Amino acid sequence: MALTKDDIINAVADMSVMEVVELIEAMEEKFGVSAAAAVMAGPAAGGEAAAEEQTEFDLVLTAAGDKKVNVIKAVREITGLGLKEAKGAVDGAPATIKEAMSKEDAEAAKTKLEEAGASVELK
């Protein structure tokens, strides 16, 4: 009879801490792996996959540049903010201008801000 994941989890739950440590050491030795290395590699591998599959982008204004008035106008157009709010966002650079944008919208907004003289990043 094969053990299920639930059977294994229940068996581990009934063990003392020392028994779990010994089990981990035995598994590392049997399979030639390190649990610490697996934990460290897990997020890195997942992070690379997430970066490839990113569908939403944040538009971040890193610097307003010399043509601040043009940048404020572009921020107002992109976000629909009022003059005071847009000026505050530009003055507060680096600042996130808009979050969760599609790739196409984010690229268009980035181009518009760069043409206005700003420095912009997509995250």
Side-chain angles (χ1 to χ4, degrees), residues 49-58 103 122-123:
E52 293 173 11
E53 298 173 10
Q54 185 174 356
T55 58
E56 293 184 343
F57 297 85
D58 295 342
K103 184 174 183 174
L122 295 179
K123 293 189 177 185

Side-chain angles (χ1 to χ4, degrees), residues 25-56:
E25 289 173 356
M27 290 174 67
E28 288 176 338
E29 190 175 311
K30 168 87 174 166
F31 299 112
V33 296
S34 167
V39 170
M40 297 296 285
E48 291 171 8
E52 293 173 11
E53 298 173 10
Q54 185 174 356
T55 58
E56 293 184 343

